[in-house]
Amino acid sequence: MAQHTEVDAPAGVLYGLIADALRWPVFLPPTVHVEQLEFDGESERLRMWVTANDEIRSWTTRRVLDPVAHRVDFRQEVLPRPVTSMGGSWSVEPRGPERSLVTLRNDFSVDGNARADVDWVRRATTANSRAALANLRGLAERWRRLDDLVLSFEDTTRVDAPVEPVYDFLHRFGDRPDAVPGATGIDIAEQAPGVQLMTVRLNGADGTARTTESVRIGFPHAGRIVYKDVRDSEQPALLAAHAGEWSVEPEPWGTGVTVVARHHAVLDEDGVRERYGDGADAVRLAREALRARLARESAAALRLAKEHAEEHAEEHAEGALAAHGA
């Protein structure tokens, strides 16, 4: 299976976007999260979580990167059943100084070649390839201003408590609708072990109802929760893509932790134009507004996590003292 798209951008720009898999959650719609397990400069092993036919699937992939040929070969090493093998390549052919042809090839095999399983994999592969190529083209053709449209930042807070109650609060967001400013309800459903779908109902700026959905992946032993927004009913959206992470990091010198809220986002140019016009300062104003909004949302959750964990730690300490005194 091979799909192609022509892009008005240099081959090097396209190769850079394809090679930078850690930013795929905000660059390519099907990708929810990527963990780099190994990297030696020429090849890498990645653990990937991807939407496939509205399901979340995870696998481990080996990639070989060739920046001279503008090519990335990939082969999955650990696959979800019933897929027994899957791989392919990304290749970029220059068609001029600022025009390129991108080709994405996929091959796969399914245990027993059951018709329903083959159709499922083919449908998911075709849909995801089309979505990835379309978004890649849109990003690459904005390459001169892409740095202004991409935003990453983090906020932190110190909590005088161990990791567990902080992580527990962040994992069970749905217990506190006020964890998201303006939310009228939060529902969290377990999609697979360690994978959640969080639905948030909010009142929009104009008083209308708004719904967002995020996929969340928990790493309890590392004190991390990563997430990606996969749906927002607000139109026009200021965000083309948004992913983030909650990280609970123990302090090496004490009993407390530092909680880090990380955000990675790509602005939607149509949304920016709709809200801020075509002026020279439009993107700057949109970046400032977006950062303020995301920071405000993080601060609310961090404040509640701190209150919850420190109250829990205080109650635990009082209980321990009472038991000791008894």
Side-chain angles (χ1 to χ4, degrees):
M1 300 169 57
Q3 297 193 50
H4 315 268
T5 188
E6 292 198 356
V7 184
D8 291 327
V13 169
L14 283 154
Y15 174 80
L17 294 173
I18 293 166
D20 192 1
L22 294 181
R23 292 211 286 179
W24 278 14
V26 290
F27 283 171
L28 304 185
T31 306
V32 174
H33 181 61
V34 179
E35 294 268 316
Q36 188 179 67
L37 306 178
E38 299 174 12
F39 182 58
D40 64 8
E42 295 181 357
S43 66
E44 62 183 349
R45 289 181 69 241
L46 304 172
R47 177 80 186 275
M48 307 183 74
W49 286 259
V50 176
T51 57
N53 294 337
D54 297 323
E55 298 179 18
I56 305 299
R57 296 296 180 97
S58 178
W59 52 73
T60 302
T61 297
R62 170 77 65 179
R63 301 204 316 167
V64 178
L65 297 92
D66 187 341
V68 176
H70 298 137
R71 182 183 176 96
V72 177
D73 293 299
F74 58 89
R75 179 64 53 183
Q76 275 80 330
E77 295 183 333
V78 180
L79 286 158
R81 291 180 58 84
V83 184
T84 55
S85 71
M86 180 173 285
S89 65
W90 291 87
S91 60
V92 186
E93 301 174 39
R95 293 294 178 90
E98 294 190 11
R99 189 164 181 80
S100 306
L101 175 68
V102 183
T103 301
L104 174 55
R105 294 181 174 85
N106 289 280
D107 62 77
F108 67 88
S109 60
V110 174
D111 187 26
N113 282 325
R115 178 64 177 272
D117 291 337
V118 172
D119 288 347
W120 192 98
V121 177
R122 180 177 288 113
R123 188 168 66 252
T125 301
T126 300
N128 283 7
S129 296
R130 286 175 178 167
L133 286 168
N135 221 61
L136 185 69
R137 183 177 64 245
L139 290 169
E141 290 184 346
R142 294 169 171 81
W143 66 278
R144 287 189 174 86
R145 53 193 186 279
L146 187 57
D147 286 347
D148 292 331
L149 298 174
V150 176
L151 174 69
S152 293
F153 70 94
E154 65 181 44
D155 291 317
T156 65
T157 192
R158 185 188 179 279
V159 180
D160 190 15
V163 171
E164 290 77 10
V166 182
Y167 181 89
D168 180 66
F169 175 86
L170 297 171
H171 179 72
R172 298 170 57 198
F173 241 22
D175 292 350
R176 293 289 299 265
D178 55 345
V180 177
T184 58
I186 300 176
D187 297 319
I188 295 181
E190 198 85 5
Q191 297 288 293
V195 179
Q196 300 173 326
L197 178 66
M198 183 171 80
T199 303
V200 180
R201 296 178 297 280
L202 306 110
N203 289 323
D206 59 356
T208 59
R210 174 183 163 214
T211 302
T212 66
E213 289 183 355
S214 304
V215 175
R216 296 168 22 116
I217 302 166
F219 302 89
H221 296 298
R224 297 172 60 220
I225 297 171
V226 298
Y227 63 89
K228 177 178 178 174
D229 295 344
V230 294
R231 187 173 78 88
D232 190 335
S233 63
E234 183 179 44
Q235 293 295 334
L238 191 58
L239 277 168
H242 174 227
E245 175 181 345
W246 300 101
S247 180
V248 187
E249 302 171 2
E251 293 179 344
W253 59 85
T255 58
V257 299
T258 298
V259 189
V260 185
R262 297 184 175 90
H263 295 276
H264 309 286
V266 178
L267 286 165
D268 180 271
E269 281 195 309
D270 291 336
V272 171
R273 193 174 299 111
E274 178 75 17
R275 298 189 188 189
Y276 298 97
D278 292 313
D281 290 335
V283 171
R284 179 184 60 80
L285 293 171
R287 285 175 64 91
E288 292 174 355
L290 177 60
R291 194 192 192 291
R293 188 187 102 191
L294 294 176
R296 184 170 62 251
E297 293 173 355
S298 292
L302 290 171
R303 183 180 65 255
L304 292 174
K306 178 180 175 69
E307 293 173 359
H308 168 85
E310 291 182 348
E311 287 175 6
H312 179 275
E314 185 176 337
E315 291 172 359
H316 181 76
E318 290 175 352
L321 285 173
H324 181 73

